[in-house]
Amino acid sequence: MGLLDYFLSTQRPSASIAKERLQILVAHERAERNKPPYLADLQRELLEVIGKYVKVDREDITVTMDQDETREILELNIVLPDDKTTRRR
């Protein structure tokens, strides 16, 4: 990026940025609404089992379910602590 590009570049209008953010929020709300009711229980029980071995917070475990016409995908993300002091024995 040259100096001329810096002065000639135009910033995106704030309305389009706000529109993108709103679309993301709406998509997130729709995904939350379509969750099966057992996902919250599954997340809680996973937290209990993992908590026996490693100290993790509730926010460190996310369970999501995606669905299309032919299949369902269950995705589990767990952020494990890096340091060894938080590991339980």
Side-chain angles (χ1 to χ4, degrees):
M1 183 170 159
L3 185 61
L4 188 58
D5 292 335
Y6 176 76
F7 288 111
L8 294 178
S9 67
T10 58
Q11 292 184 348
R12 292 175 45 198
S14 63
S16 68
I17 295 171
K19 182 180 176 183
E20 284 181 19
R21 291 179 179 165
L22 184 60
Q23 287 173 335
I24 291 170
L25 286 173
V26 169
H28 180 70
E29 287 296 320
R30 285 183 181 158
E32 290 292 318
R33 192 179 326 143
N34 295 332
K35 275 182 160 180
Y38 59 85
L39 280 184
D41 293 338
L42 177 65
Q43 186 172 1
R44 181 183 45 79
E45 291 179 10
L46 284 169
L47 183 63
E48 290 174 5
V49 170
I50 293 169
K52 292 179 182 177
Y53 303 98
V54 178
K55 183 179 179 183
V56 292
D57 293 327
R58 180 169 172 74
E59 296 81 30
D60 294 336
I61 296 178
T62 56
V63 180
T64 58
M65 179 171 249
D66 292 328
Q67 183 175 0
D68 63 11
E69 295 176 3
T70 58
R71 62 184 172 189
E72 294 179 342
I73 300 170
L74 178 66
E75 182 178 343
L76 173 67
N77 289 313
I78 303 170
V79 179
L80 297 174
D82 290 335
D83 57 347
K84 294 180 181 177
T85 58
T86 57
R87 293 186 182 171
R88 296 182 180 172
R89 292 224 169 210

